[in-house]
Amino acid sequence: GEDVEQSLFLSVREGDSSVINCTYTDSSSTYLYWYKQEPGAGLQLLTYIFSNMDMKQDQRLTVLLNKKDKHLSLRIADTQTGDSAIYFCAESKGDSSYKLIFGSGTRLLVRP
Amino acid sequence: SQTIHQWPATLVQPVGSPLSLECTVEGTSNPNLYWYRQAAGRGLQLLFYSVGIGQISSEVPQNLSASRPQDRQFILSSKKLLLSDSGFYLCAWLDRGLYEQYFGPGTRLTVT
């Protein structure tokens, strides 16, 4: 079946690293995504990883994929107050629909 | 560059009234298009997707419908709104070459 799970809330201090975790159940998922949503706004694509990769780094963002455990994580280095938002994990099978199955989102609060 | 527009930004409608939300994409051709709904404090649920003009796939049984009258136009409709239709409606398009899905700014619908 299709199910993506995330913890609901994470609080960190400014300057620390944040790690947001996600688990998925569909082993046929081809692409895994991280989106950011600020209050009242649409979703901003942060990064994504192809299922044959273990890690992807993009500036302050590091994505780790453990395909055996179906576990995905997003690490934000040197977290800033502007990083406070809801972060969504999503999976896609990469079929012709490329539809995304989303987790319920993790609210990240960055304390000054 | 590509841009996605949604309107209106906010809408308050009484129960039983009709609905029409519009989404247009600029700067690309033949994109996959998607309608998602986000209930308050929750993740996104895929409602409809389209891989081409006139081709609509429905993911969730409901009183909503979608149409794609032009290549870059996607419309979400209802003949009679229910209270449960309240939510944040997001349109998205897919860059097939990069497997990246981009979201519009959303329409916040309140059914009273």
Side-chain angles (χ1 to χ4, degrees):
Chain A
E2 301 172 338
D3 198 9
V4 179
E5 294 188 355
Q6 301 178 238
S7 53
L8 291 179
F9 185 73
L10 176 66
S11 178
V12 301
R13 281 187 301 193
E14 190 174 16
D16 288 350
S17 293
S18 306
V19 179
I20 302 171
N21 295 301
C22 170
T23 58
Y24 61 99
T25 57
D26 193 339
S27 58
S28 66
S29 293
T30 307
Y31 300 94
L32 294 135
Y33 300 80
W34 285 104
Y35 283 86
K36 175 184 180 183
Q37 185 180 36
E38 300 190 39
L43 273 67
Q44 175 193 353
L45 176 62
L46 291 177
T47 186
Y48 68 99
I49 190 167
F50 189 50
S51 59
N52 68 353
M53 299 169 64
D54 297 324
M55 185 182 83
K56 182 178 180 181
Q57 188 156 1
D58 184 0
Q59 299 181 357
R60 292 192 297 124
L61 305 179
T62 303
V63 178
L64 295 178
L65 175 60
N66 182 328
K67 200 173 179 183
K68 172 176 170 289
D69 294 336
K70 300 188 185 70
H71 182 265
L72 182 74
S73 67
L74 174 69
R75 178 176 180 270
I76 306 173
D78 186 25
T79 313
Q80 303 297 306
T81 54
D83 294 323
S84 292
I86 301 177
Y87 290 79
F88 290 97
C89 165
E91 62 174 351
S92 172
K93 289 190 180 51
D95 60 16
S96 61
S97 74
Y98 293 101
K99 59 187 179 183
L100 297 179
I101 308 298
F102 282 86
S104 55
T106 299
R107 183 177 297 274
L108 173 65
L109 175 65
V110 182
R111 310 185 307 273
Chain B
S1 63
Q2 298 86 6
T3 309
I4 180 167
H5 302 279
Q6 286 187 245
W7 64 90
T10 59
L11 192 59
V12 180
Q13 291 282 96
V15 168
S17 64
L19 173 74
S20 180
L21 303 182
E22 190 164 342
C23 169
T24 59
V25 182
E26 295 177 358
T28 187
S29 60
N30 195 29
N32 278 19
L33 296 172
Y34 307 85
W35 278 112
Y36 293 86
R37 178 170 60 200
Q38 184 178 27
R42 302 186 65 179
L44 278 73
Q45 179 187 40
L46 178 64
L47 302 176
F48 300 94
Y49 70 90
S50 172
V51 300
I53 296 174
Q55 301 178 63
I56 307 295
S57 296
S58 174
E59 291 291 301
V60 181
Q62 64 225 321
N63 69 322
L64 299 172
S65 62
S67 62
R68 184 171 178 174
Q70 299 180 48
D71 182 42
R72 290 169 288 177
Q73 183 184 30
F74 205 21
I75 297 173
L76 183 70
S77 304
S78 174
K79 292 181 180 177
K80 288 186 178 181
L81 284 168
L82 306 173
L83 284 174
S84 57
D85 291 324
S86 292
F88 193 43
Y89 288 81
L90 290 152
C91 179
W93 72 277
L94 174 78
D95 183 325
R96 290 199 188 98
L98 298 175
Y99 309 109
E100 296 176 356
Q101 199 167 127
Y102 296 98
F103 285 79
T107 295
R108 186 161 303 283
L109 171 66
T110 304
V111 182
T112 59

